[in-house]
Amino acid sequence: MKKGTFILIFAIISLGFLFNSCNNKKPDTPFYNVNTFIGTGGHGHTFPGATMPFGMVQLSPDTRKDSWDGCSGYHYSDSIVYGFSHTHLSGTGVGDYGDIRIFPSVGELKTNVVYGENYKQGYGSRFIHEREVAEPGYYATYLIDSDIYASFTVSNHSGIHKYMFPKSSESHILLDLVESVTSERINYAKIEIINDSTISGYSHTSGWANNQHLYFYAKFSKVFKSWGLESDGQKIDNQSSIEGDSLKAWFNFNTSAKEIVYMKIGLSAVDIEGAKNNLETEIPDWDFKNTRKLAKEVWENQLGKIEVFGSDNDKEIFYSALYHSFVAPNMSSDVDGRYRGHDNGIHKNPALDMHTVFSLWDTFRALHPLFTIVQQDKTNELINSMLEMYSHDGLLPVWELAACETNCMIGYNAVPVIADAYAKGIRGFDEKIALEAMVASANSGLFGLDFYTSKGYIPANKEGESVSKTLEYAYDDWCIAEMAKLTGDEEVYSDFIKRAQYYKNIYDKSTGFFRGKSNGRFMQPFDPTEVNFMLTEANTWQYNFFVPQDINTHINLLGGDKGYETKLDSLFSTKQSLSGRQQSDITGLIGQYAHGNEPSHHMAYLYNYVGKPWKTQKIVRQIMSELYTNKPDGLSGNEDCGQMSAWYVLSSMGFYPVSPGTDKYVLGSPVFDSNKINLENGN
C-alpha cells in the first residue's frame, strides 16, 4: 500500500471516529448532566438504581450487606452483585430496606447467597462498571458469570425488569424474600403462584423500621416451564403457595440466544390488591422502552426547575445534587389513595399523597428549605403526611420510616419544616392542627424534655446528648414561637419565645463554649475537640455555633463581632485533631468544621453576621471545590436523604437558609454565571 493511500484511509477512519464521538455526545440538558454514581463510593451511601422523583420503588443492585458503607445496598468498590431489590434508602447512616430481591441466572440453580470472595458457593455474579449504565429512572448492568444483560426502569409504585438471556435450557429467575440490605427479622411472609406467569406475596419485617409491611404483585412476559419454592432451606417443587418466615421461589425457562424475558412488579404497603392495581395502572403492557421514556420525561420536568449556566463539571455536580435532592421522602400511598397509617390501620384519602422516609434532623436545614422554592406542592403533601402521623401517634415524626417511628436522632425537627413553609406563604395545611402538633411534640416530656422544661437545660448525668438536645430544643421552640406569632396565638408565642432562650443556660463564658452541666455545674474536664456522650455525632466545636434563632445575642455572648469572628476563624483554621470516641459520621473536616455531618452546615455563612462576607465566600467556595466532585466518592459524608446535596444546590446558586423558619437567606458565592429558577406558579 502506498504511503499516501494509508494516510487517506487513516484520515477517513479518524474522521469517522470523530463523527461517531460527536454523535454519541450526550445533550447538554439537566437530565443528561446527572451522574447517579456520585455518592456510591466513599461514605455517601447512595444507590445508582432506577427510581422516580419521591417514588415508592427504588429498583437497584445489591452488592453488600450489613456494613456501614452498604446502607444503600451498593458500594462502588464492589465487584459482585447479588440481585436487584425494589426498595433502597438514599444516603442514610443506618441500613434497612433491600426488599423483594430478584436474581436471574443460567445453569445450576443456587438459592443461597454467600457474600464475599466465596460468592460462587451461592447465587451472584461479577460485574464491571464499564458495562453499567445509569440515568434517572433507569439502570442496566451485565452479569458476567451468566452472560445476562439486566436492565430496569420504574414508575411511581412499580418496576419492570428486562433480562437478555443466552441460549439455555436452565434459565432461572430467583425471588428471595429473605435477603435484604441488613439482617432484619422476617416475622411473616407469603409467596403465591397465581398461574404460569403471575405471582404475588408479601413480607412483614422488623429492622430499623420495626413494623414494615410490603406486598407485591408480579407478572412474567414468558410462561415459566416450572417453578419451585423454598422455606427455611427446604425445597418444595410445584406447590402453588407457601407461608413462613424464610421464603424463596424460582422460575425456570428455556431461552434462545439473546431472548428477552420481562418481569414487572407492583408494590404496596396496604395489600396485594393494592400492589396489583398499582402495577396495572402504571405499567399495563410490556413496553419497557415507553416506561423508561415516561420516567425520563418526569425527571426532565423535575430537573428543569432550575437552569444553571457554567462549566460542564459544575453542571454535572449540580444536577446530580438536584437529582439526589428529589429522591426522598418517598410516596407510601397507593394510586387509589389508600395507605397504611401509624396506627397500622388502612386509610383512604385520594386527596393526600402519603409519604414516608423523613430524615428530619438532617433535612430541615437545607432540603426542605429548597423544597419551599421549587417543590411547594410537594411541601404541602409532606407536611400533611406529617400531620397525618400526628393524628395517630400524638407526636410529629422524628425519623419516620415505612409507617414506623424509629426515634433515631434528636430534636422535634418536623417543627422547623412546618414553620419555614408557613413563613414563606406555603399554607396548604391546617395551621391550627399544625401548631397543636408542634406544641404536643415540644411538651411530650420524652428524650430529656422533662428536664429541659423544668430546669431550662438537660443535665448531662440524666440524659445522653444533653448539650445537643438543649441547643436543638431551643431552636425548635423558637420555630414554634414564630409559628404562633404568625397565626396570632399570643399565649403559645409567649411561652415558647422564653424557651427559645434556654440555650444560654449551658453557655460557659470562661471558655466561650456550650458545655454539659451536672448538678448545676459544668462538667470537668473539658476539651472542645472531644466527641463524647453529651453531643450528637459531633464535638463541642461542631455544636458551638448552633443558635440559628438568635445569632446576634450569641455574637454578644462570644464577645461581640470581633470575638465571634475570632472564634469562627479558630473553628476553620485550628490544627487540633478530633479526640474522644470514634465517630464515623464526622468527615469532611476543615479545621474542626465537619461538612460531612449536618450540625456544621450553616456555619460558613455566619461571617456575614459580623460584616465579613468575604470570609463566608472563601470558605463556601472551598467546601464546594474540595468536598464535592463528580466522582463516586464525590460526597464528604452521608447523603442523608438529600441534605448533603441540597446544601450544594443552594450554595452553588449563591445563598443559604441559615435560620429555617424565616423568609431570609444569607448570601454566599455563586458558582455559575447565571441561574434560572422556574417556579411552580409560572414565574
Side-chain angles (χ1 to χ4, degrees):
M1 181 184 292
K2 292 181 179 180
K3 182 178 179 183
T5 305
F6 175 81
I7 292 173
L8 178 62
I9 293 172
F10 180 79
I12 292 171
I13 292 172
S14 299
L15 191 60
F17 279 129
L18 178 62
F19 282 136
N20 284 333
S21 175
C22 292
N23 290 335
N24 291 332
K25 185 178 180 181
K26 292 182 178 180
D28 184 18
T29 66
F31 180 89
Y32 287 110
N33 273 304
V34 173
N35 177 356
T36 66
F37 290 105
I38 292 177
T40 60
H43 305 305
H45 298 187
T46 64
F47 62 85
T51 191
M52 291 287 276
F54 312 105
M56 177 182 285
V57 174
Q58 306 86 36
L59 185 42
S60 190
D62 297 330
T63 66
R64 61 172 62 188
K65 178 174 181 167
D66 285 333
S67 72
W68 188 69
D69 277 330
C71 289
S72 73
Y74 179 99
H75 197 270
Y76 197 81
S77 63
D78 296 331
S79 59
I80 309 298
V81 60
Y82 299 98
F84 307 94
S85 57
H86 292 77
T87 60
H88 294 85
L89 294 171
S90 180
T92 58
V94 180
D96 204 320
Y97 279 12
D99 300 297
I100 311 176
R101 179 184 291 179
I102 305 295
F103 186 77
S105 64
V106 296
E108 179 188 356
L109 175 70
K110 297 176 183 177
T111 61
N112 64 310
V113 61
V114 178
Y115 294 96
E117 60 183 17
N118 296 321
Y119 77 95
K120 287 188 176 182
Q121 296 176 13
Y123 68 81
S125 174
R126 291 168 295 155
F127 73 105
I128 55 174
H129 298 305
E130 290 77 11
R131 302 194 74 172
E132 277 185 299
V133 178
E135 64 186 30
Y138 175 80
Y139 174 84
T141 193
Y142 174 62
L143 305 180
I144 295 171
D145 291 352
S146 52
D147 190 26
I148 294 173
Y149 292 89
S151 311
F152 311 90
T153 191
V154 292
S155 59
N156 278 328
H157 302 82
S158 308
I160 181 167
H161 305 230
K162 178 183 177 182
Y163 298 121
M164 181 185 288
F165 281 93
K167 182 178 181 180
S168 176
S169 60
E170 295 182 301
S171 294
H172 319 285
I173 294 178
L174 174 71
L175 163 67
D176 192 337
L177 297 188
V178 178
E179 291 300 318
S180 66
V181 171
T182 60
S183 297
E184 61 187 2
R185 185 175 74 251
I186 302 158
N187 301 314
Y188 198 70
K190 180 177 180 178
I191 299 173
E192 182 173 4
I193 313 302
I194 297 173
N195 56 43
D196 58 9
S197 62
T198 309
I199 62 173
S200 67
Y202 67 89
S203 64
H204 176 220
T205 59
S206 298
W208 188 18
N210 62 9
N211 186 29
Q212 184 192 0
H213 296 259
L214 192 62
Y215 299 82
F216 68 91
Y217 182 88
K219 296 182 71 69
F220 298 88
S221 63
K222 180 182 177 71
V223 170
F224 40 82
K225 64 179 182 180
S226 61
W227 74 87
L229 300 172
E230 181 179 301
S231 177
D232 290 321
Q234 299 299 311
K235 291 180 171 59
I236 307 165
D237 290 328
N238 295 326
Q239 185 171 305
S240 62
S241 67
I242 192 168
E243 300 179 37
D245 60 7
S246 182
L247 305 184
K248 302 180 183 184
W250 58 92
F251 309 93
N252 306 314
F253 306 88
N254 293 327
T255 57
S256 56
K258 296 185 178 181
E259 181 176 355
I260 293 172
V261 178
Y262 295 98
M263 176 185 182
K264 57 183 179 178
I265 183 167
L267 301 187
S268 171
V270 175
D271 55 27
I272 290 173
E273 190 62 31
K276 179 182 179 181
N277 189 34
N278 289 339
L279 178 62
E280 293 180 343
T281 300
E282 294 179 347
I283 310 180
D285 50 34
W286 295 104
D287 195 337
F288 184 95
K289 184 177 180 180
N290 187 59
T291 303
R292 180 183 176 185
K293 176 175 174 286
L294 293 174
K296 179 175 182 286
E297 289 173 354
V298 173
W299 272 114
E300 284 179 325
N301 177 264
Q302 292 294 320
L303 295 166
K305 289 186 173 187
I306 304 178
E307 298 175 61
V308 295
F309 303 88
S311 74
D312 291 345
N313 182 74
D314 290 337
K315 283 189 291 186
E316 183 173 338
I317 297 171
F318 178 88
Y319 283 112
S320 302
L322 191 63
Y323 165 79
H324 281 129
S325 298
F326 294 166
V327 168
N330 303 125
M331 192 177 298
S332 61
S333 54
D334 290 343
V335 295
D336 62 2
R338 293 188 304 152
Y339 59 90
R340 185 173 296 275
H342 277 220
D343 59 350
N344 206 34
I346 305 304
H347 306 272
K348 185 173 184 177
N349 183 354
L352 171 65
D353 283 337
M354 191 68 180
H355 285 71
T356 185
V357 188
F358 285 90
S359 182
L360 293 163
W361 181 80
D362 307 290
T363 57
F364 82 84
R365 305 165 196 267
L367 181 71
H368 287 282
L370 172 62
F371 288 170
T372 65
I373 301 172
V374 295
Q375 297 283 2
Q376 294 195 355
D377 292 341
K378 181 62 65 176
T379 294
N380 280 318
E381 290 178 0
L382 299 178
I383 291 174
N384 281 309
S385 294
M386 292 191 285
L387 295 180
E388 176 67 9
M389 295 169 194
Y390 163 71
S391 73
H392 298 301
D393 289 347
L395 298 172
L396 288 167
V398 176
W399 213 123
E400 192 273 349
L401 175 63
C404 304
E405 180 52 67
T406 70
N407 283 314
C408 182
M409 307 312 296
I410 66 170
Y412 27 98
N413 291 310
V415 163
V417 173
I418 298 170
D420 190 55
Y422 197 81
K424 293 168 180 170
I426 300 171
R427 300 181 179 182
F429 52 91
D430 190 314
E431 64 184 41
K432 291 185 178 179
I433 293 177
L435 184 60
E436 173 191 300
M438 295 160 88
V439 171
S441 290
N443 288 334
S444 71
L446 300 171
F447 311 117
L449 277 166
D450 49 350
F451 298 109
Y452 172 82
T453 54
S454 62
K455 291 179 175 293
Y457 71 96
I458 300 174
N461 61 328
K462 300 293 186 181
E463 179 81 13
E465 302 168 282
S466 60
V467 173
S468 298
K469 287 178 179 176
T470 298
L471 293 172
E472 291 206 17
Y473 290 163
Y475 164 67
D476 291 342
D477 287 346
W478 173 79
C479 290
I480 296 173
E482 289 296 296
M483 183 78 175
K485 182 167 66 175
L486 291 172
T487 58
D489 194 321
E490 295 181 4
E491 182 179 353
V492 171
Y493 173 78
S494 178
D495 288 344
F496 281 88
I497 201 66
K498 293 174 185 174
R499 286 173 51 160
Q501 305 299 310
Y502 285 176
Y503 72 91
K504 298 173 185 175
N505 295 331
I506 58 169
Y507 177 71
D508 175 19
K509 185 177 180 180
S510 67
T511 62
F513 286 99
F514 294 111
R515 293 178 55 185
K517 271 186 173 180
S518 177
N519 298 317
R521 296 182 178 181
F522 290 114
M523 297 281 287
Q524 296 287 354
F526 173 67
D527 179 354
T529 69
E530 183 183 32
V531 180
N532 59 44
F533 71 97
M534 292 178 281
L535 298 134
T536 303
E537 298 181 1
N539 62 19
T540 304
W541 270 116
Q542 292 146 17
Y543 256 99
N544 204 48
F545 293 92
F546 189 80
V547 192
Q549 76 275 22
D550 199 9
I551 295 171
N552 288 329
T553 301
H554 188 217
I555 290 171
N556 292 334
L557 287 176
L558 286 172
D561 287 3
K562 186 60 180 174
Y564 198 76
E565 180 187 356
T566 299
K567 203 77 164 182
L568 279 172
D569 287 345
S570 297
L571 168 72
F572 289 106
S573 65
T574 180
K575 302 301 182 185
Q576 287 183 296
S577 301
L578 297 172
S579 64
R581 70 187 184 192
Q582 174 65 30
Q583 184 70 52
S584 54
D585 296 273
I586 303 176
T587 54
L589 289 167
I590 300 175
Q592 286 289 317
Y593 172 89
H595 192 73
N597 210 20
E598 280 65 25
S600 293
H601 273 191
H602 67 292
M603 294 179 186
Y605 288 90
L606 294 176
Y607 282 111
N608 285 282
Y609 291 83
V610 293
K612 299 297 173 64
W614 55 89
K615 288 192 173 184
T616 281
Q617 293 157 19
K618 177 180 181 292
I619 295 294
V620 167
R621 274 302 185 97
Q622 181 182 353
I623 295 167
M624 288 190 285
S625 64
E626 294 180 2
L627 300 180
Y628 289 88
T629 74
N630 59 357
K631 301 295 190 291
D633 62 353
L635 297 175
S636 60
N638 301 162
E639 168 63 17
D640 284 316
C641 297
Q643 169 60 28
M644 194 70 67
S645 288
W647 186 96
Y648 184 89
V649 170
L650 291 165
S651 294
S652 66
M653 291 195 294
F655 59 94
Y656 191 79
V658 169
S659 304
T662 74
D663 58 0
K664 296 179 176 63
Y665 299 90
V666 177
L667 296 181
S669 179
V671 167
F672 298 100
D673 299 331
S674 63
N675 315 309
K676 180 180 178 183
I677 302 175
N678 299 306
L679 302 175
E680 289 163 293
N681 63 10
N683 293 333

